[in-house]
Amino acid sequence: RHYKRGANTFPSDFIVSLCKTSSGEILIGTALDLTSYNPQTKIFTRVKEVPGSNFVSDIIESKDSTVWVATVNNGLYYYNRNKSIYGSFRYNILDTTGISSDMINTLYEDSRDNLWIGTEGGGLCRLNKKTQTFSRYTTGNGLPSNYIFKILEDDIGKLWISTSRGLVCMNSATAAIQV
């Protein structure tokens, strides 16, 4: 079956990201919003925890069932319906412990439950979920570029990070970077 934009589906045919959650719902990130699809009922629903018009670049669900939503211009959103929590992180030039950019390309949760955020020009961020603060990694820390596209973890816990100027291997425990 081919689904197209419409009143009963999603507002844009420009589908950028997909995520199947542990509950079985399929999250659809478009150039205009985040929509949920329930395979049992076959119903599409706008995700109210991510308000407004957002270009959704990436979606992941962390081990604690929190859904993390990356946007191109409005930062990072999150929600956990089991815990009845939701919120967002936006760039603030005065906050050095905040997220480094509102333009987010990719999200990744590593084996240590760290959430990594790859940005468009703001480098790499790691969220401390307990304190709700971010550690930032940029060209000033040895990255070849502040444009991060994808993040993966290998079997020994090193992160592999694609940038606009090559591939980086980073020890996630020590933040040591190999270019």
Side-chain angles (χ1 to χ4, degrees), residues 68-135:
W68 299 91
V69 181
T71 70
V72 170
N73 287 312
N74 292 316
L76 178 65
Y77 288 87
Y78 65 92
Y79 66 92
N80 186 317
R81 291 180 178 154
N82 298 332
K83 297 177 182 178
S84 298
I85 61 167
Y86 66 95
S88 66
F89 296 99
R90 297 291 308 267
Y91 173 66
N92 177 344
I93 195 167
L94 301 175
D95 185 2
T96 58
T97 64
I99 197 163
S100 63
S101 174
D102 280 338
M103 298 180 70
I104 302 172
N105 291 328
T106 189
L107 301 170
Y108 186 77
E109 184 180 46
D110 69 19
S111 60
R112 295 176 183 89
D113 299 332
N114 292 307
L115 182 68
W116 295 89
I117 300 99
T119 73
E120 184 80 9
L124 180 69
C125 294
R126 181 180 64 204
L127 173 64
N128 180 322
K129 294 176 188 174
K130 289 185 176 100
T131 64
Q132 302 272 294
T133 59
F134 294 83
S135 298

Side-chain angles (χ1 to χ4, degrees), residues 132-151:
Q132 302 272 294
T133 59
F134 294 83
S135 298
R136 298 176 179 182
Y137 306 91
T138 65
T139 53
N141 303 96
L143 289 177
S145 169
N146 288 328
Y147 294 83
I148 310 298
F149 299 111
K150 286 292 176 189
I151 306 162

